[in-house]
Amino acid sequence: MANLKPERSVTMSDIQTMTLRTNSAGMKQATDILRKGGLLAFPTETVYGLGADATQDLAVARIYAAKGRPTFNPLIAHFPDADSAKSHVHWSEEADILTNTFWPGAITLVLEKRQDSTLSALLSTGLSSVAIRVPDHSIASNLLHQFSSPIAAPSANPSGAISPTKPEHVLSSLAGKIEGVIDAGACRLGLESTIIDLTVAPTLLRPGGIPVEIIEDCLGKKLQNTQAKDGIKAPGQLSSHYAPCAKLRLNATSALDEEVLIGFGDMECDLNLSQDADLTEAAAHLFAHLHFLDKKGVACIAVAPVPQHGLGQAINDRLIRAAAPRD
Ligand code: TXA
Ligand code: MG
């Protein structure tokens, strides 16, 4: 069992958080932050990640502290390409099939970690497996190539809160706790990656940016679904998660008194996920709308039904967790 305690206590108040540009000077500042063991929020095609050098224990420990994340919830290691990931995990034929098709892209694979991997044990919270991903975003890709070491990155939000799809979402909750954020505007997909466990028969741990049906077509078989079977396998799948400050009511067709209605498709509402009932557009708007209403101080949000196919599965997963009773 790994020692999951930080090597020394880390105080993170009063850090000057720099907003970095995407030019070469900004990228140099970004890699300098990572090299010194600092925390850097950076864009991916899914959501903004809260990055640290995945090989430095103390840097990885700072991610847990900045997010207030339970230390039983492991992080994803990000790589510039599949070849650089292969030296850390036991590769498989199914990993080949999925990564040849979807990487770079919004799919994360859980594989057994190699004994000689230099990834911090804190990253995978002492598990024998590790989650790996190659993001499909030019700035993330430049950063990973220039840093030339894997980057540990959960979504850049306090634990249990809504994931950030814009740099201002990151700053509103993590300013003063991290050294920098790269400002590259809004994330294209707006929902986290799909997570597949390949340490067993291919199993869905979290629906996400690549729809389950497409992954099943590619593998030529159905995915197992741990969520349905025995609850929490990806610890991030805790029932209350992605929660805005407001109370959420799902499957609403109209707003009750004092509610703000988030619609889907052609309907009367205050904000629409997608007027054209386009699930890709809805995914890109979901977290941004929740952040917006939180900032406005809205207390009760009603959300219209979203179909449960394609990206709708991931959207509904996030909505159900956002609406779940909180501790
Ligand atoms: O799109 C994404 O995946 C974003 C961007 C930044 O890459 N990252 C992200 O990270 O969503 P995070 O930490 O918010 O979610 C990672 C999930 C958690 O639910 C965690 O439990 C799961 O991955 N996970 C990580 N390592 C795992 C492992 N070895 N076994 C099972 N689940 C694991
Ligand atoms: Mg997250």
Side-chain angles (χ1 to χ4, degrees), residues 13-18 175-180:
S13 50
D14 302 318
I15 293 175
Q16 181 82 34
T17 304
M18 291 189 290
K177 294 185 174 180
I178 65 177
E179 277 76 10

Side-chain angles (χ1 to χ4, degrees), residues 46 49 69 73-74 76 78 129 131 133 154-155 192-193 195 206 234-236:
T46 60
R69 180 173 175 117
N73 192 359
I76 299 172
H78 295 69
S129 61
R133 168 162 130 76
S155 49
E192 300 87 341
S193 60
I195 306 180
R206 176 177 74 183

Side-chain angles (χ1 to χ4, degrees), residues 42-50 67 69 72-78 106-111 123-125 127-133 135 153-157 163 191-195 197 205-206 233-238 241-242 318:
F42 65 98
T44 77
E45 79 281 29
T46 60
V47 298
Y48 272 74
L50 177 55
K67 278 181 69 85
R69 180 173 175 117
F72 57 77
N73 192 359
L75 310 173
I76 299 172
H78 295 69
I107 189 166
T108 294
L109 300 182
V110 174
L111 291 163
L123 175 116
S124 45
T125 61
L127 296 171
S128 61
S129 61
V130 67
I132 56 170
R133 168 162 130 76
S155 49
N157 53 278
S163 299
L191 272 184
E192 300 87 341
S193 60
T194 306
I195 306 180
D197 187 354
L205 298 184
R206 176 177 74 183
K233 175 78 195 293
Q237 295 303 84
L238 298 168
H241 210 85
Y242 311 105
R318 305 307 189 269

Side-chain angles (χ1 to χ4, degrees), residues 16-262:
Q16 181 82 34
T17 304
M18 291 189 290
T19 299
L20 306 178
R21 302 182 49 192
T22 54
N23 58 13
S24 56
M27 297 307 278
K28 165 85 171 58
Q29 286 172 298
T31 51
D32 283 350
I33 288 173
L34 292 172
R35 212 151 272 132
K36 288 181 190 149
L39 298 182
L40 172 80
F42 65 98
T44 77
E45 79 281 29
T46 60
V47 298
Y48 272 74
L50 177 55
D53 182 344
T55 66
Q56 292 188 40
D57 287 337
L58 191 57
V60 175
R62 283 195 53 202
I63 292 180
Y64 288 92
K67 278 181 69 85
R69 180 173 175 117
T71 47
F72 57 77
N73 192 359
L75 310 173
I76 299 172
H78 295 69
F79 295 88
D81 48 48
D83 279 346
S84 43
K86 282 179 187 167
S87 57
H88 295 273
V89 291
H90 292 286
W91 206 248
S92 69
E93 204 186 318
E94 275 155 345
D96 243 353
I97 295 170
L98 291 178
T99 57
N100 285 337
T101 310
F102 298 113
W103 274 4
I107 189 166
T108 294
L109 300 182
V110 174
L111 291 163
E112 287 299 335
K113 190 160 86 162
R114 284 173 60 128
Q115 283 276 316
D116 57 355
S117 165
T118 51
L119 293 171
S120 163
L122 272 178
L123 175 116
S124 45
T125 61
L127 296 171
S128 61
S129 61
V130 67
I132 56 170
R133 168 162 130 76
V134 173
D136 182 19
H137 189 291
S138 60
I139 301 303
S141 186
N142 279 350
L143 181 72
L144 284 157
H145 276 108
Q146 283 181 33
F147 186 52
S148 67
S149 179
I151 298 178
S155 49
N157 53 278
S159 185
I162 313 165
S163 299
T165 58
K166 297 178 180 176
E168 52 267 37
H169 300 157
V170 177
L171 287 169
S172 68
S173 59
L174 294 177
K177 294 185 174 180
I178 65 177
E179 277 76 10
V181 53
I182 301 179
D183 181 353
C187 300
R188 181 164 49 82
L189 289 176
L191 272 184
E192 300 87 341
S193 60
T194 306
I195 306 180
I196 307 292
D197 187 354
L198 292 181
T199 63
V200 287
T203 299
L204 177 68
L205 298 184
R206 176 177 74 183
I210 297 185
V212 167
E213 298 92 321
I214 296 181
I215 297 171
E216 289 179 337
D217 272 0
C218 169
L219 284 174
K221 62 167 98 159
K222 288 268 175 213
L223 294 172
Q224 308 285 311
N225 192 341
T226 340
Q227 298 184 301
K229 237 176 23 209
D230 51 14
I232 300 163
K233 175 78 195 293
Q237 295 303 84
L238 298 168
S239 54
S240 171
H241 210 85
Y242 311 105
C245 299
K247 265 175 71 179
L248 231 71
R249 185 170 67 87
L250 305 185
N251 296 317
T253 44
S254 59
L256 303 175
D257 279 353
E258 304 192 1
E259 277 182 345
V260 168
L261 180 63
I262 299 183

